């Protein structure tokens, strides 16, 4: 049978940890959401935007080495570790952002990845998304065998303690799931909730500043309800290396324009160079200010997201 990629079930944000024996908590890994499709003959990988990632992660293609199902759809997150041993979105984007596939083999050596599997939606010829999560997790543990590049995400009933550990380690957050919940394809509801240790968003890069001819900060914006791009702050710190900044300086040359893309004018940035709003980036930040800017933004990675999707 031909398997068409689906839009995965998403959690809603929360500040409060739900109570009750039916709730479990899982670590929210700072990676890339990837669903694995195996129709009995061929394995293909797709991200949440339905973009194929099969060639990006060849470690995951030999599905019979870690899954006993005759056909299956698995849901999980591909992660890569930074130098501190913690999941790093910047590192995994060094794999996910590859555009010339001949570079994948070399990247495997320098950026090893792990697939953190947390759900199964289709198994042995039948859809099981309508089954409660507790039953899907039992099936998942029966069919998936952890290995060098494959791990099952563990579940915890003491969500408060798990969140405390995540907070101490400076990791992204936790996901809280109702064991009675169905997997709602293309949906989002409070049967799955996420509590983040920090905030993040995907923003449009509408300008840059330079130091010694190399970009040292990006000017960020989001679109409002009438399609205007509004400046929300600038980021010059984060995960990017000097080489990343040099490569980005070369990349943006065709995007330089005399026309300011922002509806509002950034303050204290008279030396800014404007860019056509094509590039997007994942930004980590502390909070919003009263005037609609983000506090302490830091850039994590450039991402493959359409600018029009970056909205307030």
């Amino acid at each position: 049978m031909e398997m068409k990629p689906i839009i995965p079930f998403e959690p809603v944000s929360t500040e409060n940890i739900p109570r009750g024996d039916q709730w479990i908590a899982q670590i929210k890994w700072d990676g890339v959401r990837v669903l694995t499709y195996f129709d009995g003959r061929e394995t293909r990988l797709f991200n949440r935007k339905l973009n194929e990632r099969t060639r990006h992660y060849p470690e995951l293609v030999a599905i019979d080495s870690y899954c006993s199902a005759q056909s299956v759809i698995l849901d999980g997150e591909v992660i890569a570790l930074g130098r501190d041993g913690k999941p790093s979105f910047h590192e995994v984007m060094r794999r996910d952002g590859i555009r010339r596939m001949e570079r994948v083999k070399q990247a495997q050596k320098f950026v090893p990845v792990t697939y953190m599997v947390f759900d199964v939606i289709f198994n042995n010829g039948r859809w099981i998304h309508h089954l409660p999560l507790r039953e899907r997790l039992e099936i998942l543990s029966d069919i998936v065998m952890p290995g060098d590049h494959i791990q099952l995400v563990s579940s915890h009933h003491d969500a408060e303690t798990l969140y405390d550990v995540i907070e101490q380690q400076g990791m992204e957050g936790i996901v809280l799931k109702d064991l009675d919940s169905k997997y709602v394809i293309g949906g989002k509801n409070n049967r799955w909730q996420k509590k983040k240790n920090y905030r993040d968003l995907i923003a449009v890069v509408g300008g840059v500043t330079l130091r010694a001819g190399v970009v040292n900060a990006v000017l960020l914006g989001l679109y409002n309800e009438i399609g205007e791009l509004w400046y929300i702050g600038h980021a010059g710190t984060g995960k990017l290396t000097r080489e990343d900044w040099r490569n980005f300086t070369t990349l943006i040359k065709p995007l330089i324009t005399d026309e300011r893309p922002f509806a509002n004018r950034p303050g204290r940035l008279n030396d800014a160079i404007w860019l056509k709003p094509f590039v997007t980036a994942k930004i980590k930040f502390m909070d919003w200010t009263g005037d609609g800017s983000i506090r302490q933004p830091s850039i994590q990675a450039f991402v493959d997201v359409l600018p029009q999707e970056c909205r307030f």
Side-chain angles (χ1 to χ4, degrees), residues 55-67:
R55 296 173 66 189
H56 289 72
Y57 306 114
E59 303 96 323
L60 312 183
V61 174
I63 197 167
D64 57 351
S65 68
Y66 63 87
C67 183

Side-chain angles (χ1 to χ4, degrees), residues 52-123:
E52 187 160 6
R53 288 296 183 262
T54 308
R55 296 173 66 189
H56 289 72
Y57 306 114
E59 303 96 323
L60 312 183
V61 174
I63 197 167
D64 57 351
S65 68
Y66 63 87
C67 183
S68 61
Q70 301 304 304
S71 58
V72 75
I73 300 176
L74 300 173
D75 193 355
E77 201 156 8
V78 175
I79 67 168
L81 303 182
R83 293 180 181 178
D84 57 2
K86 299 174 186 176
S88 167
F89 187 77
H90 177 260
E91 285 299 305
V92 78
M93 285 306 296
R94 292 175 62 192
R95 288 287 298 274
D96 201 78
I98 291 175
R99 295 295 173 262
R100 293 172 58 183
M101 292 300 107
E102 66 271 16
R103 295 180 175 176
V104 170
K105 190 170 184 179
Q106 183 181 22
Q108 284 182 262
K109 300 176 183 177
F110 298 104
V111 189
V113 297
T114 302
Y115 190 31
M116 307 299 297
V117 185
F118 53 70
D119 215 328
V120 55
I121 305 150
F122 184 92
N123 180 54

